[in-house]
Amino acid sequence: MAMTASSRAPQGSGSSDTERSPFVRLNELLAPHQPGKPLISLAVGEPQHPVPDFVGPVLAKHIADFGRYPLNNGIEPFRKAAASWLGHRFKLPRPIDPESEVLVLNGSREGLLFAAITAARYVGPRPGKPAILMPNPFYPVYGAGARAAACELVYLPTTVENGFLPDLDAIDETTLARTVAFYIASPANPQGSVASRDYFTRLKSLADRYGFVILSDECYSEIYTREAPGSALECAGPDFTRVVAFQSLSKRSNLPGLRVGFAAGDKKFLRQFLELRSVAAPQVPVPLQHVATVAYGDEAHVEENRRLYRIKFDLADQILGNRYGYRRPEGGFCVWLDTSPLGNDQAVTLKLWKEAGVRVVPGSYLARLQPDGFNPGAGFIRLALVQSGEITAEALHRLVATLG
């Protein structure tokens, strides 16, 4: 397989502006200016739909459990609920074992970071500097995890030409041979693209051939308006070897502040993962795990959640039309707009702030420079449709009136 020049990350760029938080950079960009109209923020992917009704009563029932340290692997009811949910939601090769193939997380973010460190130890020595591959643009914790694991970051540009998923055929064998982990997000953040079963199967075949671990970020899997996305676990084989999927209640259940998620898959990997987390990672309070147990046993609030997002994407279809390369995403709640004909994505972001009071994120802040200087996010802006339908419609109308 041929390797494109834009597939490898440059060395020694850790102190550059592109390694900083996109939201810190956005604050710095907008801080000197006042919004031109009452603020509407579509920048942060923080769900604003109502918290499920069962949260308060379940917390109250288990309030005394805040008085003890939680077990690192999670309470049994939570692990059983997560395993059962996976079995009902996805077409798995066999049921997940809640005793050995599920591990509670303090939200998926910390799990994704510690998993990179575990992968580097689990896979062992590589021929050359160990590498961790990731899509570009990507969730910043992938990069933080790779750096914490002392691995080279290899950025795989995701563009409209490759369907906003890493081009597996563009990775050369030398790079694959030294890979310890491959981060994949489906649905993708920010573009909303979804990996097909064939894509996951091809990725799994590479993992088997070269011995690396697939870290599949699936926290947006329950936000979709048409077809339900699949999971890497569906294509992982009977023992889920070298595949670990990450889930969270933040998006599925509108509980970003609960900080509960889980990892599921390869039990040998999870055994080492648990050893690391037992000494280094945050534990998950028992009352919160009880809330999560109920959440994974209830689909009514999730269906209502999807209904609300469907309304907002219907509004986006109507208001944006075919402007700015808009397409309804396959999953997630973000909109990825190509505003390059209007100028630099930072300038467009600033214009929307100063004239419309709409806060968005420049696409270049969500991506990293490739060695040839190409930034796959440049020229795009990301909108998170997390506000109410009424507020979302107002923001989209302002955007179109401002950008034309």
Side-chain angles (χ1 to χ4, degrees):
M1 292 182 288
M3 173 111 174
T4 60
S6 58
S7 294
R8 294 185 57 193
Q11 300 289 322
S13 59
S15 62
S16 72
D17 226 19
T18 60
E19 296 302 318
R20 303 173 62 224
S21 162
F23 301 106
V24 171
R25 296 178 68 193
L26 178 62
N27 288 339
E28 293 173 352
L29 175 68
L30 303 183
H33 311 279
Q34 293 298 313
K37 293 183 178 181
L39 168 64
I40 299 177
S41 179
L42 302 181
V44 180
E46 181 182 57
Q48 300 295 303
H49 296 167
V51 170
D53 292 339
F54 55 75
V55 173
V58 174
L59 277 178
K61 181 179 178 180
H62 296 280
I63 198 76
D65 287 327
F66 278 117
R68 61 192 180 95
Y69 287 120
L71 296 173
N72 287 285
N73 64 335
I75 61 174
E76 183 180 25
F78 171 79
R79 286 183 278 108
K80 286 185 174 180
S84 177
W85 176 78
L86 284 170
H88 286 100
R89 171 63 176 82
F90 300 106
K91 297 177 182 178
L92 302 181
R94 65 163 173 80
I96 290 280
D97 179 8
E99 293 300 317
S100 62
E101 294 174 335
V102 176
L103 182 61
V104 72
L105 301 174
N106 195 286
S108 60
R109 181 168 66 174
E110 64 90 355
L112 288 161
L113 186 145
F114 282 103
I117 302 172
T118 304
R121 299 176 178 181
Y122 180 75
V123 171
R126 302 272 85 182
K129 182 173 178 59
I132 292 182
L133 281 58
M134 62 198 70
N136 190 22
F138 63 97
Y139 187 32
V141 76
Y142 305 165
R147 292 193 180 283
C151 292
E152 179 184 344
L153 287 71
V154 177
Y155 303 134
L156 307 176
T158 57
T159 64
V160 66
E161 289 78 16
N162 57 28
F164 295 116
L165 289 170
D167 183 354
L168 301 180
D169 295 325
I171 313 169
D172 72 276
E173 293 193 10
T174 300
T175 298
L176 289 167
R178 58 191 184 87
T179 296
V180 299
F182 190 121
Y183 282 110
I184 182 68
S186 177
N189 177 9
Q191 308 100 330
S193 50
V194 170
S196 66
R197 186 178 185 87
D198 177 67
Y199 187 95
F200 278 134
T201 299
R202 291 173 59 216
L203 180 57
K204 175 61 163 63
S205 69
L206 290 176
D208 288 341
R209 180 178 177 183
Y210 294 98
F212 60 80
V213 178
I214 299 168
L215 305 177
S216 185
D217 182 354
E218 300 174 8
C219 73
Y220 286 93
S221 70
E222 303 315 289
I223 309 301
Y224 56 89
T225 61
R226 291 174 181 152
E227 186 175 348
S231 169
L233 293 173
E234 296 177 319
C235 308
D239 293 322
F240 307 107
T241 307
R242 284 182 285 277
V243 178
V244 182
F246 295 80
Q247 281 284 350
S248 167
L249 290 173
S250 296
K251 278 67 178 179
R252 175 187 182 272
S253 298
N254 304 313
L255 291 170
L258 192 73
R259 308 315 304 144
V260 180
F262 67 84
D266 187 330
K267 63 183 177 182
K268 293 181 180 179
F269 179 91
L270 291 181
R271 190 180 304 128
Q272 288 196 22
F273 194 24
L274 176 59
E275 290 182 4
L276 174 62
R277 295 192 74 262
S278 293
V279 297
Q283 296 158 289
V284 183
V286 173
L288 306 190
Q289 293 189 54
H290 281 294
V291 172
T293 300
V294 176
Y296 278 117
D298 179 76
E299 289 296 321
H301 75 285
V302 186
E303 291 285 354
E304 173 62 10
N305 199 25
R306 279 195 288 269
R307 185 186 71 83
L308 295 174
Y309 282 117
R310 190 178 302 116
I311 290 171
K312 289 183 281 189
F313 278 109
D314 287 344
L315 289 168
D317 291 349
Q318 297 165 18
I319 297 169
L320 296 178
N322 59 3
R323 296 180 178 89
Y324 327 117
Y326 168 74
R327 66 179 183 91
R328 189 177 182 123
E330 297 175 82
F333 50 53
C334 293
V335 170
W336 189 238
L337 300 181
D338 182 1
T339 56
S340 56
L342 305 174
N344 180 281
D345 56 308
Q346 295 177 76
V348 170
T349 297
L350 191 57
K351 180 180 178 69
L352 285 171
W353 175 251
K354 292 169 65 177
E355 298 182 20
V358 176
R359 187 183 181 98
V360 301
V361 183
S364 60
Y365 288 10
L366 300 170
R368 301 294 183 262
L369 291 176
Q370 302 287 161
D372 59 3
F374 171 58
N375 184 317
F380 290 84
I381 57 173
R382 192 194 78 171
L383 285 58
L385 303 190
V386 294
Q387 303 290 348
S388 69
E390 181 180 0
I391 294 174
T392 298
E394 171 65 18
L396 294 176
H397 280 302
R398 288 191 202 175
L399 184 149
V400 171
T402 303
L403 300 183

